[in-house]
């Protein structure tokens, strides 16, 4: 057969990107195996897997040229047939990375208390939806629902329902087993949900593929290690102006991928780079922006709050795109579909995308947030109640994982969207003395549960 046209076409194609352009060192996954923030330095694990996704991508790249990093990431993670989350799921000790709720039950319990504290501060509305984006194995929801059950007397007059936004069929199955014991109804006719069931604690649970399918109404949103999994665009400043980083097939090595630079500006370079940008390399996650806009609009209209927890920065970092497989760093371009791909969340971008529809709080470091939420007291209670040394050691070890600045304490952040009236009395400007002060928002301040 005639040789397939190689990209770049002679003269005017994409320029290969020298590794030095993406200069920050690859991060290393610590022995403890959480996906920590970028910049720790270290070696990436080599390729593997059955290659089905790579062959699919290679065909596509040969036929129509390089794709954006966002498109590559979307294919690798959520392609309906071969995507990483679709097939493997990844989360947990036996998976590729471990997350805070999988490390300690205390994490989810304190988040459950955060929602109750906000529900109380907002005047105890008689119904709310808990909406979780990307619930993984369902552990966080399970821990939150346990708190709701323990505080049933407080919530007794409140009608609570759970709404999970999950694209992965494999993970939604795991969530169903965890939360309902597997008793779920697929494709319920009366709902936009693709599955529904009842939690072991008696709360109705619904599953959706998209936040837009979740019914409107007073809602508490939760996104833990969700935004970091959404596709990013990458941009590089050059002498000729901004160029987008693309993924291409390497003409020298069969079925190997490489980064190249777009030969000219792309629609994304025009839309996503701020004129005042000072960095030389920028990552933008438009999908995260769209979701935050939706959350902010929904909270503005129907009330509630959103809590976002993830590793990230406030618009300062550059190259944070990385892969994880079997708890080790993995080259992002090798064996796509077999490794988790992730990038730090840019909280300054999320704040901007809320467009003033809600107030925002944070980002605040995980160790400060959990400390404010009373993690030390909770640890003491659990230590006192545990008889055996192994459990006590496990409790102390997981506390250290969550709180130690060198582990997850510093690089994970909490960020919240709240209705403006939650932070400032509507009439405050005119009559500053007229109302009692609003209760502080827990986590971002010390928890004061009355
Ligand atoms: N919150 C969990 C899991 C984090 S992993 C924890 O902390 O343990 C990321 C989760 O987001 C997975 O459940 C994955 O399937 C889901 N996910 C990834 N992309 C998604 C998308 N575009 N829409 C909905 N869910 C998505």
């Amino acid at each position: 057969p005639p040789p397939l046209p190689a990209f770049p076409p002679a003269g005017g194609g994409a320029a290969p990107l020298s590794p030095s352009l993406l200069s920050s060192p690859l991060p290393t996954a610590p022995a403890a195996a959480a996906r920590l923030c970028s910049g720790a330095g270290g070696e990436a694990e080599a390729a593997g897997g059955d290659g089905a996704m790579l062959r699919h991508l290679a065909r596509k790249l040969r036929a129509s040229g390089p794709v954006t990093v966002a498109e590559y990431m979307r294919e690798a993670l959520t392609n309906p047939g071969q995507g990483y989350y679709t097939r493997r799921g990844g989360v947990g000790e036996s998976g590729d990375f471990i997350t805070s709720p999988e490390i300690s039950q205390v994490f989810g319990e304190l988040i459950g208390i955060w929602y109750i504290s906000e529900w109380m501060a907002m005047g105890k509305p008689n119904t709310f939806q808990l909406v979780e984006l990307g619930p993984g194995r369902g552990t966080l929801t399970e821990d939150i629902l346990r708190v709701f059950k323990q505080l049933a007397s407080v919530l007794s007059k409140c009608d609570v329902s759970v709404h999970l936004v999950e694209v992965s069929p494999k993970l939604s199955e795991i969530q169903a087993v965890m939360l309902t014991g597997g008793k779920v109804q697929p494709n319920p006719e009366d709902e936009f949900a693709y599955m529904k069931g009842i939690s072991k604690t008696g709360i109705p649970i619904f599953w959706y593929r998209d936040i837009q399918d979740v019914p409107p109404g007073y809602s508490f949103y939760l996104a833990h290690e969700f935004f970091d999994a959404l596709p990013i665009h990458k941009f590089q400043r050059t002498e000729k102006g901004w160029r987008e980083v693309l993924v291409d097939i390497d003409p020298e090595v069969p079925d190997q991928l490489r980064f190249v630079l777009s030969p000219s500006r792309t629609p994304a370079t025009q839309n996503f780079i701020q004129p005042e940008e000072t960095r030389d390399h920028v990552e933008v996650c438009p999908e995260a922006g769209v979701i935050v806009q939706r959350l902010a609009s929904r909270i503005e209209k129907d009330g509630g709050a959103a809590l976002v927890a993830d590793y990230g920065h406030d618009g300062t970092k550059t190259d944070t795109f990385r892969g994880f497989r079997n708890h080790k760093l993995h080259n992002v371009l090798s064996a796509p579909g077999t490794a988790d791909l992730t990038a730090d969340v840019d909280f300054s971008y999320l704040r901007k995308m809320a467009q003033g529809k809600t107030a925002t709080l944070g980002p605040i470091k995980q160790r400060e947030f959990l400390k404010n939420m009373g993690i030390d007291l909770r640890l003491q209670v659990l230590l006192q109640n545990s008889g055996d040394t192994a459990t006590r050691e496990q409790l102390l070890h997981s506390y250290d994982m969550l709180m130690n600045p060198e582990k997850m304490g510093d690089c994970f952040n909490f960020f919240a969207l709240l209705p403006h009236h939650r932070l400032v009395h509507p009439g405050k400007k005119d009559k500053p003395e007229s109302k009692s002060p609003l209760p502080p928002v827990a986590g971002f301040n010390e928890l004061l549960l009355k």
Side-chain angles (χ1 to χ4, degrees), residues 119 124-128 151-160:
W119 172 76
K124 303 188 183 175
N126 55 16
T127 175
F128 72 78
L151 295 177
S153 59
V154 181
L155 281 170
S156 64
K157 294 199 186 70
C158 186
D159 191 6
V160 180

Side-chain angles (χ1 to χ4, degrees), residues 35 74 77-78 84-86 89-92 97-102 107 132-140 165-169 171-172 175 208-211 222-231 287 291 309 340:
R35 302 182 296 178
R74 187 174 298 112
L77 290 183
T78 54
Y84 171 76
Y85 281 118
T86 327
V91 199
F97 59 95
I98 192 147
T99 57
S100 295
E102 304 288 332
F107 186 82
E132 188 178 358
L133 309 177
R137 305 177 59 83
T139 314
L140 187 48
V165 180
E166 177 57 74
V167 280
S168 161
L171 283 172
S172 63
Q175 292 151 17
Y208 314 82
R209 279 184 196 89
D210 195 298
I211 175 91
L222 174 59
H224 181 256
E225 290 214 33
F226 169 73
F227 284 107
D228 71 82
L230 299 181
E287 228 169 275
I291 291 175
D340 175 45

Side-chain angles (χ1 to χ4, degrees), residues 375-392:
I375 191 170
D376 292 329
L377 197 63
R378 183 73 188 128
L379 176 73
Q380 290 313 321
V381 171
L382 287 173
L383 285 174
Q384 274 159 25
N385 293 347
S386 66
D388 62 300
T389 326
T391 314
R392 293 164 67 89

Side-chain angles (χ1 to χ4, degrees), residues 354-373:
Q355 296 175 317
K357 288 178 184 155
T358 61
T360 62
L361 284 180
I364 176 175
K365 289 178 176 138
Q366 170 157 307
R367 68 185 161 89
E368 288 168 25
F369 182 90
L370 296 178
K371 197 149 220 134
N372 284 338
M373 290 303 303

Side-chain angles (χ1 to χ4, degrees), residues 22-25 38 234 281 283 317-321:
L22 295 170
S23 54
S24 54
S38 55
K234 283 173 89 66
H281 190 92
E283 295 170 340
K317 284 202 183 174
T318 55
D319 178 26
T320 73
F321 186 35

Side-chain angles (χ1 to χ4, degrees), residues 277-299:
E277 183 57 63
T278 55
R279 288 169 288 175
D280 287 336
H281 190 92
V282 176
E283 295 170 340
V284 183
C285 182
E287 228 169 275
V290 169
I291 291 175
V292 164
Q293 273 177 14
R294 291 210 172 109
L295 295 181
S297 302
R298 289 172 77 119
I299 292 168

